[in-house]
Amino acid sequence: MDVVERVPRPKSLTELAYQQLRDGILEGGFPSGRRVSVVSLAAEMGMSRSPVRAAIERLATDGLMILTPGGALVPTPGRGDLLDALAVRAPLEGLAARLAAPQLADADVAALTEIHTEFEAAVQRSDTRAAQKADFQFHQEVQAHCDNACLVEHLERVQARVILATYSTAWSSNQVQAVPEHARILAALSARDGEAAGRAATIHLDNLAERVRREWRRRDREESRTA
């Protein structure tokens, strides 16, 4: 019997609009607090209003936009929103690492090692933007191999909220301490030790939240001294 090759279905206009808008928000192209209209966005994107409106409604469900008459508003998350998102993200990242570890091929470990090397190099040269990008890629690469679509969906949502919150909370947590934490996750994944990988990933995110709190306390003290 002939094998029929499956051709990937092209993305709908709504899906394309959603991805473009989501990427724009997460890359800082739509600052927190900015109002956008369906009409102007449709014109900029060269689409009709219907797919753009549907994309905005989906982004609102993700927590990345707030619906307003005729358009939407990019949220301005506070410190509590970031800490809430990190608290949810920690156990999810741990679960993703635990599930991914036994399924990794040598090529997957090599890819993770390369990303970790890029992350460490970016941290050493104090390139915050490149370090953040490599950090996000590392976690995405792990979750891509957890073989759990439901988990990936929830992780993508909470990760997006974390990224959005970092824009409005003036967070620039020192990433030096994250390098050995990533190394411990990578070592456990390389050994295909799911339990160790899960613990290391959860601890990493818990430590990150604590570093954020310390950074805010330091800034608050400095601001109070200069007030």
Side-chain angles (χ1 to χ4, degrees):
M1 186 173 65
D2 293 337
V3 177
V4 179
E5 183 178 354
R6 292 188 177 182
V7 179
R9 186 177 61 181
K11 292 184 177 180
S12 67
L13 287 178
T14 297
E15 182 65 28
L16 289 172
Y18 169 80
Q19 199 60 57
Q20 287 182 32
L21 291 173
R22 186 179 188 274
D23 290 346
I25 293 170
L26 299 184
E27 291 170 5
F30 294 91
S32 296
R34 175 180 168 179
R35 293 184 179 276
V36 295
S37 73
V38 173
V39 174
S40 62
L41 286 176
E44 290 175 17
M45 300 169 74
M47 297 182 182
S48 63
R49 299 179 189 178
S50 294
V52 174
R53 185 180 296 108
I56 287 176
E57 291 172 352
R58 183 176 169 187
L59 287 164
T61 301
D62 291 346
L64 297 181
M65 280 192 171
I66 298 172
L67 296 178
T68 62
L73 173 71
V74 180
T76 305
R79 290 180 174 184
D81 296 308
L82 176 55
L83 293 177
D84 285 349
L86 287 173
V88 173
R89 184 182 170 191
L92 295 182
E93 291 280 5
L95 177 58
R98 180 169 66 82
L99 295 176
Q103 305 189 69
L104 294 174
D106 289 344
D108 302 324
V109 174
L112 282 164
T113 302
E114 182 177 351
I115 296 170
H116 175 66
T117 300
E118 293 173 1
F119 175 60
E120 184 174 15
V123 171
Q124 289 177 346
R125 65 175 184 269
S126 300
D127 188 340
T128 302
R129 192 61 179 258
Q132 288 176 336
K133 181 178 180 181
D135 178 27
F136 190 49
Q137 286 179 332
F138 182 85
H139 289 282
Q140 282 193 314
E141 185 70 16
V142 173
Q143 73 187 48
H145 294 90
C146 75
D147 196 26
N148 188 311
C150 182
L151 176 57
V152 171
E153 178 185 348
H154 285 285
L155 263 172
E156 286 180 346
R157 287 191 177 189
V158 74
Q159 286 168 342
R161 293 194 181 201
V162 168
I163 293 171
L164 181 62
T166 62
Y167 289 127
S168 58
T169 56
W171 167 46
S172 59
S173 185
N174 192 319
Q175 294 167 306
V176 172
Q177 293 168 288
V179 174
E181 293 170 359
H182 273 209
R184 282 189 284 272
I185 298 170
L186 179 58
L189 291 171
S190 299
R192 277 55 169 194
D193 187 337
E195 294 302 321
R199 285 194 302 272
T202 300
I203 290 171
H204 166 54
L205 269 299
D206 286 339
N207 289 346
L208 173 59
E210 183 54 34
R211 287 194 288 271
V212 170
R213 292 187 186 94
R214 288 201 300 266
E215 175 76 6
W216 287 338
R217 287 195 293 267
R218 182 189 64 79
R219 292 188 181 192
D220 289 343
R221 286 194 300 269
E222 290 182 353
E223 290 176 2
S224 64
R225 285 198 296 266
T226 58

